[in-house]
């Protein structure tokens, strides 16, 4: 008798374990998808025949009073010491900008919350008043590593949202939307959400390729969906996006702070040096200046094209809620593009420069110098604005150390110009008649570049004094600029390899 009871007990235990396990694996149900409700499960491998591959999902159903939404997400791969969240965004363009978001934040124990928020690029704002008038019958749960939440979205209550935030809640029945799904961790005390993972993998958000319409009556578009086409990025993986961004920063810093900075010093203060020597058939200073500037422009064009390519050819905008970091990112794109355009114009102006005897040559000289220095200043501001950006991670990891290095280098470059200018002015007392010590070294056809192919004949002039001091300062600047570039390269690669090896 006891043996029979033991067998019965073991059999019941086996059945219980079997059904419990089966229920856990089958928590993502496909039975009513495209029949009574719409579904979107992630990743693409998730299907009715392969529910073990499912990581998260969205289900919705149109009701007379509005829209029923349910989110599910496995969170075993997130920080188990903190609350979790799942969020569904309604987007016009598959990007995290100007999106209405339905989300839930669930702690391990206690009550979670279901709410409405708004995305403005990388900034998310919770909308308590909109949540109170739009959401009803909200529920949250966290069972066996699966976060689940649901609520009814009362679409007819949108006019009750306060005027200052009503534009942040889309009228879902008047357009078509891409769906965005994200999950991540939240603050254990405030339930404030952290940014989702920014690396390739299952934790990175999903975007639906198909646009979805939400319609209750007189619907011309399908009212049921079973979305299967989705992606996590546009045309470049996050792995390569980060690497393009890092090389973008390193190469453009080399282009502006190594090539352009030294080319400026050589152009302005090397004209009187080596008056009887030529490099590849032209004045030494001019050959160095021209070659360094051309190489710089080539690097700039390649880097700008690549950074826009990885961004999907979309100009960054922060339309409503700009933090200081968002503002830096927006201005970085504007000032960087401006500096590149000015750099492209300089060779054109150089080709069109008037002859040394022209009455407008002084205007050209000052204009060429001003545009060059202005573009360098704009480029330096662009570099500084890049320091808090997410893809560099410099300020996040190293604090304000990169800021001080950048400021220090810019002050050092200005100091080099002032010292060389002082040397030039104090040397002017010894100048040969007709020779301007740092503007031109001139004879009848002297090193003033009388024509595009440079001088044919050198003037018999004396080499200026303090030549070694000029060369030493420029060489010291070259070493410092290279050192700064290398230091930033090391910091950027260390940050990159720490999160995207």
């Amino acid at each position: 008798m006891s043996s029979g009871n033991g067998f019965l007990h073991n059999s019941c235990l086996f059945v219980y374990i079997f059904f419990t396990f089966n229920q856990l694996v089958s928590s993502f149900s496909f039975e009513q998808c495209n029949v009574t409700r719409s579904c979107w499960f992630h990743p693409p491998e998730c299907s009715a025949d392969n529910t073990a591959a499912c990581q998260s999902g969205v289900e919705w159903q149109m009701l007379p009073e509005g829209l029923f939404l349910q989110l599910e997400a496995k969170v075993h791969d997130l920080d188990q010491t903190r609350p979790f969240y799942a969020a569904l965004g309604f987007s016009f363009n598959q990007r995290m900008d100007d999106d209405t978001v339905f989300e839930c934040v669930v702690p391990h124990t206690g009550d979670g919350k279901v709410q409405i928020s708004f995305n403005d690029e990388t900034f998310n704002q919770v909308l308590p008043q909109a949540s109170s008038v739009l959401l009803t019958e909200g529920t949250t749960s966290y069972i066996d590593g699966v976060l689940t939440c649901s609520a009814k979205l009362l679409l007819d209550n949108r006019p009750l949202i306060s005027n200052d935030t009503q534009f942040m809640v889309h009228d879902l029945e008047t357009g078509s939307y891409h769906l965005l799904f994200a999950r991540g961790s939240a603050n254990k005390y405030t339930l404030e959400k952290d940014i989702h993972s920014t690396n390739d993998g299952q934790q990175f958000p999903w975007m639906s390729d198909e646009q979805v319409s939400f319609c209750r009556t007189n619907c011309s578009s399908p009212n049921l969906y079973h979305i299967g086409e989705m992606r996590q990025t546009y045309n470049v993986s996050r792995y390569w996006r980060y690497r393009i961004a890092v090389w973008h920063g390193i190469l453009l810093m080399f282009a502006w702070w190594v090539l352009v900075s030294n080319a400026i010093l050589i152009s302005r203060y090397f004209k009187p040096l080596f008056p009887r020597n030529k490099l590849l058939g032209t004045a030494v200073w001019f050959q160095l200046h021209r070659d360094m500037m051309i190489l710089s422009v080539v690097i700039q064009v390649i880097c700008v094209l690549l950074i826009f390519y990885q961004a999907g050819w979309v100009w960054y905008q922060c339309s409503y809620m700009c933090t200081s970091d968002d503002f830096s990112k927006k201005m970085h794109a504007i000032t960087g593009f401006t500096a590149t355009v000015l750099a492209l114009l300089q060779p054109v102006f150089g080709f069109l420069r008037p002859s040394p005897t022209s009455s407008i040559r002084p205007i050209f000289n000052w204009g060429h110098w001003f545009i060059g220095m202005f573009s360098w200043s704009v480029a330096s501001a662009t570099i500084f604005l890049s320091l808090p950006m997410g893809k560099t991670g410099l300020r996040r990891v190293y604090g304000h150390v990169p800021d001080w290095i950048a400021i220090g280098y810019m002050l050092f470059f200005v100091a080099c110009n002032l010292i060389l200018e002082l040397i030039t002015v104090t040397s002017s007392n010894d100048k040969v008649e007709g020779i301007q010590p740092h503007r031109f070294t001139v004879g009848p056809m002297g090193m003033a570049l009388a024509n595009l192919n440079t001088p044919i004949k050198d003037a018999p002039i004396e080499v200026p004094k303090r030549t070694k001091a000029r060369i030493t300062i420029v060489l010291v600047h070259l070493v410092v600029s290279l050192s700064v570039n290398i230091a930033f390269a090391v910091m950027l690669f260390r940050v990159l390899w720490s999160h995207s090896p």
Side-chain angles (χ1 to χ4, degrees), residues 302-320:
I302 293 174
C303 288
V304 169
L305 290 176
L306 282 176
I307 206 69
F308 273 104
Y309 168 71
Q310 66 85 33
W313 306 105
V314 175
W315 191 276
Y316 179 86
Q317 288 293 333
C318 179
S319 52
Y320 304 112

Side-chain angles (χ1 to χ4, degrees), residues 1-9:
M1 185 72 176
S2 61
S3 175
N5 289 338
F7 175 81
L8 180 62
H9 173 76

Side-chain angles (χ1 to χ4, degrees), residues 91-92 172 174-178 211-214 221 225:
S91 174
F92 293 110
L172 296 183
T174 62
S176 298
Y177 301 88
H178 292 283
Q211 286 188 304
V212 174
S213 299
F214 300 93
S221 59
Y225 299 85

Side-chain angles (χ1 to χ4, degrees), residues 257 376-377 380-381 384 403 405-415:
W257 281 1
W376 182 91
S377 301
S380 297
F384 191 80
D403 300 37
I405 294 176
I407 293 172
Y409 168 73
M410 288 185 279
L411 293 176
F412 177 75
F413 175 72
V414 172

